[in-house]
Amino acid sequence: MLVRELYSGAYELDSGDRKMLATRNMMPGMSVYGERLIIEEDIEYRLWDPGRSKLGSMLLKKFDIPIEQDSTVLYLGAASGTTVSHVSDMLMDGLVYALEFSPRTMRDLVQLCEIRPNIIPIFADANKPHSYAHIVEKADVIFQDIAQPNQAEIAAINSKYFLGEEGYLMLSIKSRSIDTIANPRKVFREELAKLQNDFSIEFEVLDRKELAPFHEDHLGVLAKRFMG
Amino acid sequence: MLQKQITPAQIYGGSDIKEKEFNTWFGTLLLDDEGRIDDCILFDNDPEMLAAVVVKLQKEMLPVPLRRPDIREAAIECGFVKLDEEYDILLRDVCIRAVKNQISRADADDSRIIQAVEALDDIDRNVNELGERLFEWYGRYFPELDMTGEELARFVSTYGSRTNVPSDHHLFEKASRSMGPELSFTDEEIIRAFANNICSLYDTRRYIENYINNSMGSVAPNLCNVAGASLGARLMSMAGSLEKLASFPSSTVQVIGANRALFKHLRTKAPSPKHGIIFNHPFIKNAPWWQRGKIARTLASRISLASRTDFYSGEPDTSIILCLEKKLEIIRKANPVPPKREPQKKSPVRGKSRKGKQGSRGKMKGGKN
C-alpha cells in the first residue's frame, strides 16, 4: 500500500484500487469509533471517513488546511469526538480545545479526552464565549461545525475572543439549519456576506467549496483575519 | 506578588468585580489600561479545587476585559506553572474533572421521564412484533383460539398445550375439539417460555406507565394537568426537554409529531397540519371534525403556558386548565354545526397561509437530536 502525506499529519493510503484518508494513530491499537486500523511499515493509521467528518471532506476537497503539528485548535461543536480524534492525531505537539454543549455527546467526548493527552473538553455554549474565556488561550485555528441558524455570528464572536492575529477560521455552513426550504446557494451567499460585513471583526475568505458528495448542502469555508 | 493559600470563595465572595480584573481558571489577574498584568492572585495547584473554579466561572459569565493577555503566557509569567507541558497537563486534568462534574449535574428530572417514554415506545414496538409471532406459532396448534396480544400471551403462559385447559374453562370445548395437531413437550416448553417473556414485557410496560404518571405530577404538574401525563411526557420527549418545549412557540407545539405533513406544507401547496401528537388529547379526539383545528390551537397555547410555568416557576397553577375549559366552551358554542364543505378547488388563500407560516419553519428541527 502506498502512503502519501496530504497535509501535515493527514495521509492518503492507496491500495491500488481505492484511496483512503487516514491519520497516524497517536494511540496505537485503539480505534475510537469503530474505524479500521491499518499498519503500514510499522506505522499504524486510522482510516478517516470523509462522509462522517466535515474536516475530512474539506481535506479531500483540497482546502489548504492550516492545522500544523504544533497548532492550538479551538474546535466548536466537537460532538462525540469523531473528527476531534483525528485532529488530535494531526497535532503531535499541539492542543485542541473541544467545545460541546450536549450532555449526551459530552459523555462520549470526555471519555475520549481521558485517553488522549492533547484534547481539553469544555462543556459550554458556543454562543457565550465569555463563559469559557477563562480556560481557552489564543488559537491558531478555529474550526466550527455547529448546525445553528446563527453560525456566522458564532464564528465571528469566537474569533474575536480567541483567534490569534495570524489565525485561521475554518467553517462548515449547513444551509438546512439556517433555512430548510431556501436554495442552499442563496443561503451560502448570505452567510458569507454576513461573516465578512456584519460583525466587528473582518475576515478575508481564502477558499470556499461545497462539501458534496460527502455532505449535502454544506459549504466549507477557510478564512483569515483581515489585516487592513 | 504571589499570594498563595486563598480559596475561590474569598475572591469571588465580593460582588464588586472591576472591569480590569481578568478571572482565569488559575487565578485573578489585575490588568493595567494596556491589558498588561499589574498583579495576580493565584489559586492553589489543586485540580479538584480548580475544577470547581472552572465550573463556577462558567456559570457566572463575568465580563472579560477586551485587552487582556493570553492566559497561557500569563500563567507562566505569574509563576503558576513553569513549563508549557505543565500547563497542558494541569489544564487537561482540571477540565476533565469540571466536565464530569457538569455532566452528572446535568441529569435533570425531565430526562428521566423522557427515557421512560422512549422505553415505552420501544416496548410497544417489540411486543407487537413478538405478539404476532406468538399468534402465528401457537395458532398452528390451536387455530380456533380467538385471542391476540396480551390475552393470548397470558393464555399460553398459563396453560401451554390446549390439552391442559381444565374442563371448567369456557374454552374447554373448543380446546378438546381443535383441528390443530398435538403439541410436543419440547415445543410446548419453548412456546411457553416465549409467551412468558411477552407477559413480562406487558408487566414492565405497566410499571413504566405508572412511573410516568406518578413522576409527571412532580416534574411538570401543570403540563400533566393540561395535557395528561402520557401526552405531556411524550411532548417533552419529542421536543427534547421540558426547557425546549417551554421555548417553542405554541404554533410549533400544535404540530409537534406532524413533521412530515408540516414540511410537505412548507415545500409544496399541501394544506397545513392542524394537529400533531396533541391529537391524542381527548379534547381533540372526541371533538367533531370542524372544531378540531380551533381546539388544537387553544390546547397548544395552554400547553405552552403550562410547560413554561412548570419550567420557570414549578408551581401548580389551576387557572390554566380553567381558562382552557372556558375557551373550549366558547368554541363549542360558536361552532355548533359543521360548516358547509366548499367544493374542492385550489384557492389562493392557501398560498397566503403558507407565507404566514414561514416564521415557524425550521423550529421542528433538532427536536430529537
Side-chain angles (χ1 to χ4, degrees):
Chain A
M1 204 176 289
L2 233 75
V3 179
R4 191 164 68 89
E5 186 163 13
L6 283 179
Y7 298 94
S8 113
Y11 301 84
E12 184 187 76
L13 307 185
D14 193 343
S15 66
D17 54 339
R18 211 152 70 94
K19 286 180 183 171
M20 296 165 293
L21 186 63
T23 52
R24 193 174 162 164
N25 196 353
M26 177 188 263
M27 297 277 139
M30 278 195 215
S31 164
V32 174
Y33 52 97
E35 75 282 15
R36 255 179 73 203
L37 305 176
I38 291 180
I39 297 177
E40 191 66 36
E41 288 175 11
D42 288 339
I43 297 173
E44 188 175 283
Y45 297 92
R46 291 169 52 229
L47 289 195
W48 189 355
D49 180 0
R52 289 182 63 171
S53 163
K54 313 285 155 43
L55 183 61
S57 62
M58 281 167 97
L59 275 156
L60 291 185
K61 284 276 176 178
K62 305 261 185 302
F63 275 85
D64 193 10
I65 307 289
I67 299 174
E68 307 280 338
Q69 282 201 0
D70 58 349
S71 295
T72 302
V73 179
L74 172 60
Y75 195 118
L76 304 172
S80 306
T82 312
T83 306
V84 174
S85 71
H86 289 289
V87 175
S88 150
D89 274 347
M90 292 167 80
L91 300 169
M92 302 291 283
D93 206 17
L95 202 61
V96 51
Y97 291 85
L99 188 105
E100 177 55 45
F101 194 39
S102 148
R104 175 65 194 87
T105 49
M106 200 45 162
R107 230 159 66 193
D108 298 337
L109 184 62
V110 77
Q111 285 169 47
L112 179 73
C113 298
E114 285 193 296
I115 299 169
R116 291 178 168 254
N118 60 356
I119 312 177
I120 292 179
I122 302 171
F123 182 76
D125 184 352
N127 278 301
K128 296 168 183 151
H130 52 287
S131 78
Y132 46 91
H134 60 287
I135 310 172
V136 180
E137 61 186 301
K138 280 257 178 302
D140 302 313
V141 180
I142 294 182
F143 183 86
Q144 179 180 320
D145 178 15
I146 295 181
Q148 288 291 325
N150 60 338
Q151 288 164 66
E153 188 189 348
I154 295 176
I157 52 173
N158 277 283
S159 301
K160 216 163 123 187
Y161 269 84
F162 305 114
L163 195 59
E165 308 244 304
E166 299 289 312
Y168 292 89
L169 169 71
M170 295 185 79
L171 186 62
S172 144
I173 300 176
K174 181 179 174 187
S175 79
R176 289 256 176 271
S177 26
I178 294 161
D179 192 326
T180 45
I181 50 177
N183 179 359
R185 294 256 157 86
K186 187 173 148 254
V187 176
F188 294 150
R189 240 192 345 263
E190 287 169 4
E191 286 304 298
L192 279 182
K194 247 192 244 171
L195 185 67
Q196 283 169 299
N197 305 322
D198 280 16
F199 308 101
S200 55
I201 177 168
E202 281 185 86
F203 291 102
E204 184 186 348
V205 174
L206 303 174
D207 201 356
R208 42 183 282 203
K209 284 170 201 146
E210 287 192 34
L211 300 182
F214 307 111
H215 302 273
E216 292 301 323
D217 300 329
H218 281 73
L219 184 75
V221 179
L222 175 65
K224 199 177 185 320
R225 252 197 163 159
F226 185 71
M227 289 295 161
Chain B
M1 182 158 135
L2 302 186
Q3 190 189 334
K4 288 246 170 179
Q5 307 291 338
I6 198 155
T7 64
Q10 278 172 285
I11 296 166
Y12 297 120
S15 58
D16 54 329
I17 288 156
K18 283 162 271 159
E19 258 290 288
K20 293 286 174 282
E21 277 182 11
F22 179 28
N23 299 289
T24 70
W25 64 278
F26 54 83
T28 300
L29 309 175
L30 304 165
L31 308 179
D32 64 13
D33 290 341
E34 300 294 311
R36 280 186 301 255
I37 305 170
D38 252 357
D39 201 353
C40 57
I41 306 160
L42 299 176
F43 299 139
D44 267 350
N45 195 329
D46 169 13
E48 201 54 54
M49 193 196 84
L50 291 171
V53 172
V54 165
V55 175
K56 192 163 184 291
L57 283 174
Q58 259 183 277
K59 255 195 226 142
E60 282 172 348
M61 292 196 257
L62 302 170
V64 177
L66 218 58
R67 311 182 84 162
R68 61 194 147 91
D70 182 58
I71 63 174
R72 175 191 289 269
E73 283 162 19
I76 293 172
E77 196 185 321
C78 296
F80 183 69
V81 290
K82 286 192 186 67
L83 299 166
D84 272 335
E85 288 79 24
E86 205 184 328
Y87 183 88
D88 293 349
I89 292 167
L90 187 59
L91 177 59
R92 171 172 171 268
D93 187 10
V94 168
C95 282
I96 289 178
R97 282 170 200 261
V99 167
K100 283 185 170 171
N101 218 322
Q102 287 163 314
I103 291 179
S104 61
R105 266 187 236 171
D107 184 45
D109 287 340
D110 58 344
S111 71
R112 281 187 293 131
I113 293 186
I114 288 168
Q115 288 298 332
V117 171
E118 286 172 11
L120 212 61
D121 290 341
D122 292 343
I123 289 181
D124 281 346
R125 220 173 318 119
N126 286 304
V127 92
N128 273 334
E129 207 170 319
L130 297 174
E132 270 171 47
R133 171 61 49 222
L134 184 68
F135 181 74
E136 291 302 318
W137 198 350
Y138 194 71
R140 289 183 40 141
Y141 303 103
F142 192 176
E144 293 84 358
L145 185 66
D146 195 18
M147 286 181 184
T148 51
E150 184 171 8
E151 202 187 1
L152 176 67
R154 299 268 176 222
F155 181 87
V156 178
S157 149
T158 320
Y159 301 113
S161 165
R162 65 185 159 80
T163 50
N164 298 338
V165 177
S167 55
D168 56 344
H169 195 278
H170 71 281
L171 285 166
F172 177 72
E173 193 81 342
K174 259 189 185 172
S176 46
R177 290 186 189 179
S178 171
M179 64 173 138
E182 282 286 314
L183 187 56
S184 79
F185 180 71
T186 19
D187 286 27
E188 184 186 351
E189 284 302 294
I190 286 181
I191 295 186
R192 216 168 178 169
F194 186 66
N196 282 338
N197 275 323
I198 299 179
C199 289
S200 76
L201 276 179
Y202 277 113
D203 294 339
T204 313
R205 194 192 184 286
R206 255 180 225 118
Y207 193 44
I208 295 178
E209 222 171 5
N210 280 334
Y211 167 80
I212 293 173
N213 287 340
N214 294 335
S215 39
M216 271 301 277
S218 58
V219 173
N222 293 304
L223 183 60
C224 183
N225 204 1
V226 173
S230 87
L231 177 59
R234 204 141 273 167
L235 281 166
M236 287 195 328
S237 137
M238 297 187 102
S241 65
L242 181 59
E243 181 180 7
K244 277 192 183 153
L245 182 63
S247 66
F248 280 163
S250 74
S251 58
T252 303
V253 173
Q254 191 186 341
V255 293
I256 286 181
N259 304 27
R260 271 176 66 186
L262 178 69
F263 284 112
K264 198 174 168 195
H265 161 66
L266 291 173
R267 291 212 176 92
T268 67
K269 282 186 175 171
S272 63
K274 285 197 291 296
H275 28 58
I277 191 175
I278 61 167
F279 180 77
N280 290 323
H281 197 285
F283 282 160
I284 300 181
K285 220 175 192 171
N286 300 338
W289 60 264
W290 64 90
Q291 292 176 0
R292 281 180 180 166
K294 296 175 178 64
I295 295 178
R297 217 159 47 224
T298 311
L299 181 62
S301 76
R302 294 297 131 183
I303 287 176
S304 277
L305 269 183
S307 57
R308 284 168 201 170
T309 316
D310 284 335
F311 183 71
Y312 293 105
S313 93
E315 297 296 317
D317 181 356
T318 46
S319 69
I320 301 174
I321 184 99
L322 290 178
C323 187
L324 172 65
E325 275 160 3
K326 225 185 270 170
K327 266 235 162 131
L328 286 182
E329 209 42 55
I330 295 170
I331 292 174
R332 285 187 191 123
K333 270 193 188 142
N335 305 279
V337 288
K340 277 186 200 134
R341 271 192 199 266
E342 280 172 36
Q344 289 282 318
K345 61 173 181 185
K346 282 197 180 104
S347 66
V349 181
R350 276 189 190 161
K352 242 187 194 169
S353 77
R354 194 174 158 244
K355 256 189 192 162
K357 271 270 169 182
Q358 285 199 346
S360 70
R361 101 192 123 189
K363 288 278 163 52
M364 301 292 303
K365 285 210 66 278
K368 273 216 118 178
N369 309 335

